[in-house]
Amino acid sequence: MSILTDIKHRHSAGSINGFVDNPQIEIAKRIFGIKQDANDNMIRGNVSEHIARFILARDPDEKTLLKYTHKKWKEYNGEKIATAIFAQDCGKKFAQCLEERQLKRPQIYQEVFKDHIEGFDFPSIGYGDFTYTNSDKEPRLTVDLKSTARVPSGIDTVATNHIRQQAYYWGLSGKKRQFALLYASDKKYNYIEIPQSRLEEEWEIMLKNQRWIERIDNMCQTKQDWLDMFPFPDTNTFYYKDGGNFQQRIITLLKGEQNADN
């Protein structure tokens, strides 16, 4: 019996990193359908990407851009207008950086990476932000956009999971193109290319972690078995906080007060 088969699991950079870093949350989310509400900071990332793409395509004036920002913020059910303006400023910085690097509107937005890697039980999927192509239409560069309050100074200060995410896409895309991370706050930006050697290294780590997830699944006959694989976490950390009742729901699950096999 495979619990992951039952839920029609597909490996992704997010699920792999989630199972490694916060397995209890990932189990609650993937296997039991207990999800955190999207907060303004999560929404900010999506909206800032749309804004950057809009600027690169339309070169709008401030009034038009502000109207577009409010429209997108409403579509994503964002709450604080101050965060919407922050997202707009991040989008401006994204666009400024890409224009300075002579990277105008991406040829492919949210490119789909999918494969069933040989030797694994489950298929894989991922989505790249901005992909630029050569004159012969072959992808040459994928840039991942990250809006943040603190912009990393260089590759050594980038979150490992951000690099592993792109390394996973690099592997799924055929290992022939360059990947870069573009960070922006409301005041500055930094474009960071990921070295080929680092992509290769982190790709192998992602495959190792993917293999570990499948090994656990092979050991688990029930959803409760998945829960019992990991210790009870400290649920007072920020990982378990949101505007809804996620914290209490996951505590109920982990304490066994909710029937895990339902």
Side-chain angles (χ1 to χ4, degrees):
M1 181 178 180
S2 166
I3 301 302
L4 294 185
T5 297
D6 290 345
I7 65 171
K8 297 179 173 58
H9 177 74
R10 291 188 294 180
H11 292 299
S12 67
S15 68
I16 295 169
N17 289 331
F19 275 120
V20 171
D21 294 338
N22 292 290
Q24 297 89 347
I25 290 180
E26 203 65 22
I27 291 167
K29 180 169 68 174
R30 305 283 176 181
I31 296 177
F32 293 94
I34 298 175
K35 298 182 180 180
Q36 293 166 297
D37 294 335
N39 58 42
D40 275 7
N41 286 340
M42 297 176 185
I43 294 169
R44 177 189 71 197
N46 291 323
V47 172
S48 62
E49 288 176 19
H50 285 294
I51 291 169
R53 188 165 176 246
F54 184 70
I55 294 171
L56 293 170
R58 303 287 186 84
D59 193 22
D61 58 32
E62 286 296 321
K63 183 178 179 180
T64 303
L65 180 60
L66 184 60
K67 183 178 179 180
Y68 181 81
T69 298
H70 283 295
K71 174 186 174 184
K72 284 297 175 183
W73 193 249
K74 185 176 181 180
E75 286 178 7
Y76 280 91
N77 297 315
E79 295 182 358
K80 297 179 181 178
I81 295 302
T83 310
I85 298 304
F86 187 91
Q88 176 180 277
D89 291 339
C90 290
K92 287 181 178 180
K93 290 298 180 184
F94 286 144
Q96 178 186 346
C97 176
L98 293 170
E99 286 178 333
E100 289 175 353
R101 301 185 71 87
Q102 297 183 345
L103 297 170
K104 288 289 288 182
R105 187 178 185 180
Q107 281 77 32
I108 307 172
Y109 177 61
Q110 289 291 299
E111 180 182 5
V112 180
F113 304 116
K114 58 183 179 179
D115 196 3
H116 199 137
I117 305 169
E118 185 177 355
F120 289 92
D121 295 333
F122 301 96
S124 301
I125 193 165
Y127 300 90
D129 287 343
F130 286 11
T131 294
Y132 296 89
T133 63
N134 294 315
S135 57
D136 59 0
K137 305 303 181 183
E138 283 295 315
R140 62 183 175 90
L141 170 67
T142 295
V143 182
D144 189 65
L145 279 56
K146 305 284 189 186
S147 63
T148 179
R150 296 184 178 181
V151 175
S153 60
I155 190 70
D156 293 335
T157 60
V158 168
T160 300
N161 281 353
H162 291 178
I163 299 175
R164 288 183 179 173
Q165 178 191 44
Q166 300 312 302
Y168 197 61
Y169 299 163
W170 172 79
L172 293 177
S173 68
K175 307 179 181 180
K176 295 180 180 180
R177 73 178 81 168
Q178 180 65 47
F179 280 78
L181 292 157
L182 173 54
Y183 292 89
S185 70
D186 57 337
K187 294 181 172 60
K188 63 180 181 178
Y189 62 79
N190 196 10
Y191 180 94
I192 302 173
E193 293 185 1
I194 306 175
Q196 182 82 4
S197 59
R198 189 70 186 273
L199 291 170
E200 293 171 357
E201 177 185 353
E202 300 297 349
W203 163 250
E204 292 300 326
I205 290 174
M206 290 294 280
L207 291 185
K208 180 178 180 179
N209 292 343
Q210 183 170 295
R211 194 171 292 111
W212 168 76
I213 292 166
E214 294 195 357
R215 187 174 298 119
I216 291 178
D217 187 55
N218 289 331
M219 296 168 63
C220 294
Q221 298 299 306
T222 66
K223 292 181 178 181
Q224 184 63 52
D225 288 343
W226 264 98
L227 286 177
D228 293 342
M229 277 287 177
F230 301 95
F232 199 101
D234 176 5
T235 55
N236 286 318
T237 64
F238 73 91
Y239 295 108
Y240 295 87
K241 305 291 187 180
D242 72 356
N245 63 346
F246 176 75
Q247 183 183 39
Q248 187 54 54
R249 290 183 70 195
I250 197 169
I251 289 173
T252 298
L253 174 66
L254 295 171
K255 284 185 174 180
E257 296 168 4
Q258 171 180 311
N259 189 333
D261 289 323
N262 285 344

